[in-house]
Amino acid sequence: MSEDFMLDTDDLSKRMDGAIANLRVELASLRTGRGSGSMLEPIMVDAYGSMTPINQVGTVNVPEPRLVTINVWDKGLVGKVEKAIRESGLGINPQLNGTIIMLPIPELNEERRRELTKVAAGYAENARVSVRNIRRDGMDQIKKAKNDGMSEDDQKIWEEEVQEMTNLHIKKVDETVEIKQAEIMQV
């Protein structure tokens, strides 16, 4: 019975890759002193009775490195989009020009840079926890197979493979957050 055991390492790897992809999305929303359309992705606008992402109520552009513009398609939503940006905690003061909302990106001061690196570290820790939870799922499957009659040697081989995969993904998380933190601290 135990010889039939096959751990779906591809599934575990895909789930761990998903945790890293989620980390990259979260890190992209952190402001680094340069304008980026991705920094607006987490902001939701109350449009037509439901919460809608900003990129679904207008066109987001980055005409200059320190300026992001949103061309709102419906004139009636301009105020709601502006309010959503003000309340988002990005620290950006929107300026209206008809249906175009301009977001000048201010220079980050040293204190704000340090805060942002701490936020990035928090995102990385959440990703590490996700990877470890996926590792635990794999280890639980191996323990269940052991109880069903898998040999200890097979159990060790599978556990080493899952641990190796986990270490690789934790290393990717660390490298990703280090790059982002260096980008944030760059003046």
Side-chain angles (χ1 to χ4, degrees), residues 13-33:
S13 184
K14 282 180 191 168
R15 289 170 55 199
M16 289 181 184
D17 288 341
I20 292 171
N22 188 43
L23 170 66
R24 288 190 174 118
V25 168
E26 287 177 329
L27 290 177
S29 71
L30 286 180
R31 198 158 59 86
T32 59

Side-chain angles (χ1 to χ4, degrees), residues 156-167:
K156 291 282 184 230
I157 290 169
W158 282 112
E159 285 177 350
E160 286 172 12
E161 186 171 340
V162 170
Q163 187 60 49
E164 194 175 301
M165 187 187 314
T166 302
N167 293 344

Side-chain angles (χ1 to χ4, degrees), residues 51-97:
M51 298 309 280
T52 310
I54 278 190
N55 63 0
Q56 292 183 14
V57 296
T59 307
V60 178
N61 290 312
V62 185
E64 301 170 25
R66 302 190 55 79
L67 180 69
V68 177
T69 61
I70 306 161
N71 188 354
V72 183
W73 300 318
D74 183 351
K75 215 174 193 173
L77 293 177
V78 173
K80 290 182 177 183
V81 172
E82 179 189 19
K83 181 179 182 212
I85 293 168
R86 284 189 199 280
E87 294 175 351
S88 70
L90 276 179
I92 298 176
N93 193 18
Q95 300 171 354
L96 293 177
N97 184 0

Side-chain angles (χ1 to χ4, degrees), residues 38-58:
S38 62
M39 63 193 246
L40 300 175
E41 284 178 8
I43 301 175
M44 303 296 268
V45 179
D46 183 13
Y48 314 116
S50 67
M51 298 309 280
T52 310
I54 278 190
N55 63 0
Q56 292 183 14
V57 296

